Amino acid sequence: MITPVKAEHLREMFPGEFSSETSVRFDERQKRVTSSELVKFRDFVISESSGGEPPKDEAARILVEKIFENPAVLKSFDASAKAFVERVNFVAAVCPESGISPIDAAALREIFLQMCWGSYSLSQVKNLDAHSALRDWLSPGQQAFLKYAAPKSVEISPRRCPAEIRYDAAARRAVISASFKDLFSFNAKSVSICGGKVLPTFEILAPNGRPVQTTSNLEEFWKTSWAEVRKELKARYPKHFKPDSPY
């Protein structure tokens, strides 16, 4: 017959083989970080009890991993936040004298760690402000330089909302998409990227919203390629070319 061995008997027999530790983990059912106190005999868990509030640093680290696994859990880490990251990385690459460091994966983890400090559940994480956390990566002076060197948008036509500038840090490109009608009277020199270090690339859009031409020299495009492009567009979209149209 097998006789159960009680923990207190084992402790009397092998006092040096017992240990206790705190286990911090993510509870998938509760969707939160929990803490447990474990009593172990060698490698066997003898008992487990609630450990109360988990350490803030460990809870933040676990929640950041959850964000990296599924960024959608952080609602504010949206297209606008990701565009901000790309702008920062663009300026860091083109203007190293600014002292702006790129937001790579390691930096993003650090930013999210600070943001998640004091949170324990995904319900808390989903409403955190990623935009503020990302801006705080930069000093006030660096934020001002970013605004100057890599503007978010540019006004192409007073009749329309400003056109977003799409940055590609790896390719060191800044792309502006707008209708050929709006770009025809636009002064390309009015937009400056990194103090003129990078010429903006213009995507010239047809009436259907699709690019018909890409150029970094808008003035030269109107002098050379526009005549042929205009001929094709006029054949496809005659209503957009009135007799008194300047283009």
Side-chain angles (χ1 to χ4, degrees), residues 10-104:
L10 284 175
R11 192 181 292 274
E12 291 175 2
M13 298 168 63
F14 307 100
E17 301 291 333
F18 275 77
S19 63
S20 61
E21 63 182 57
T22 300
S23 173
V24 179
R25 62 185 178 83
F26 185 80
D27 188 308
E28 293 290 349
R29 184 178 61 83
Q30 300 182 58
K31 302 299 180 185
R32 64 178 297 112
V33 180
T34 60
S35 177
S36 300
E37 294 295 335
L38 306 179
V39 176
K40 301 174 71 176
F41 172 66
R42 297 176 181 168
D43 293 330
F44 298 96
V45 176
I46 300 298
S47 65
E48 180 177 354
S49 59
S50 174
E53 191 176 89
K56 287 182 173 62
D57 56 344
E58 292 191 51
R61 178 183 56 78
I62 292 172
L63 290 173
V64 168
E65 291 305 318
K66 289 299 175 182
I67 295 173
F68 270 79
E69 289 174 10
N70 179 19
V73 302
L74 179 59
K75 292 195 299 183
S76 59
F77 192 51
D78 52 15
S80 177
K82 293 171 184 175
F84 178 85
V85 171
E86 198 64 26
R87 285 173 64 212
V88 169
N89 292 345
F90 180 90
V91 173
V94 178
C95 302
E97 71 278 6
S98 68
I100 292 177
S101 299
I103 301 178
D104 54 16

Side-chain angles (χ1 to χ4, degrees), residues 21 23 31 51 57 61 99 168-169 174 178 183 186 207-208 211-212 219 230:
E21 63 182 57
S23 173
K31 302 299 180 185
D57 56 344
R61 178 183 56 78
D168 184 336
L183 285 173
F186 177 69
N208 64 357
V212 291
E219 184 178 356
R230 181 183 186 279

Side-chain angles (χ1 to χ4, degrees), residues 217-232:
N217 191 334
L218 202 56
E219 184 178 356
E220 187 67 17
F221 166 76
W222 299 125
K223 293 178 181 178
T224 56
S225 305
W226 171 237
E228 188 63 29
V229 173
R230 181 183 186 279
K231 182 178 178 181
E232 296 177 7

Side-chain angles (χ1 to χ4, degrees), residues 31 63 66-67 70-78 115-116 119-131:
K31 302 299 180 185
L63 290 173
K66 289 299 175 182
I67 295 173
N70 179 19
V73 302
L74 179 59
K75 292 195 299 183
S76 59
F77 192 51
D78 52 15
M115 181 187 68
C116 289
S119 295
Y120 299 98
S121 68
L122 290 186
S123 62
Q124 292 174 301
V125 166
K126 73 177 183 180
N127 294 317
L128 294 176
D129 189 352
H131 291 265

Side-chain angles (χ1 to χ4, degrees), residues 92-224:
V94 178
C95 302
E97 71 278 6
S98 68
I100 292 177
S101 299
I103 301 178
D104 54 16
L108 196 58
R109 284 182 187 276
E110 181 61 32
I111 291 168
F112 286 167
L113 273 172
Q114 296 178 26
M115 181 187 68
C116 289
W117 183 268
S119 295
Y120 299 98
S121 68
L122 290 186
S123 62
Q124 292 174 301
V125 166
K126 73 177 183 180
N127 294 317
L128 294 176
D129 189 352
H131 291 265
S132 293
L134 290 167
R135 284 195 301 271
D136 288 346
W137 176 253
L138 305 179
S139 68
Q142 289 174 336
Q143 290 183 37
F145 186 84
L146 177 71
K147 186 176 180 180
Y148 152 75
K152 290 174 60 177
S153 59
V154 59
E155 184 179 282
I156 301 295
S157 168
R159 304 186 308 273
R160 303 186 187 279
C161 294
E164 177 188 1
I165 303 177
R166 306 193 311 277
Y167 292 91
D168 184 336
R172 300 194 178 192
R173 294 179 76 229
V175 181
I176 301 171
S177 298
S179 162
F180 72 89
K181 295 181 182 180
D182 295 332
L183 285 173
F184 190 79
S185 57
F186 177 69
N187 178 11
K189 295 179 181 178
S190 66
V191 56
S192 174
I193 307 296
C194 291
K197 287 185 178 182
V198 175
L199 293 176
T201 297
F202 293 93
E203 278 187 348
I204 301 162
L205 307 181
N208 64 357
R210 295 180 179 178
V212 291
Q213 191 80 4
T214 300
T215 181
S216 57
N217 191 334
L218 202 56
E219 184 178 356
E220 187 67 17
F221 166 76
W222 299 125
K223 293 178 181 178
T224 56

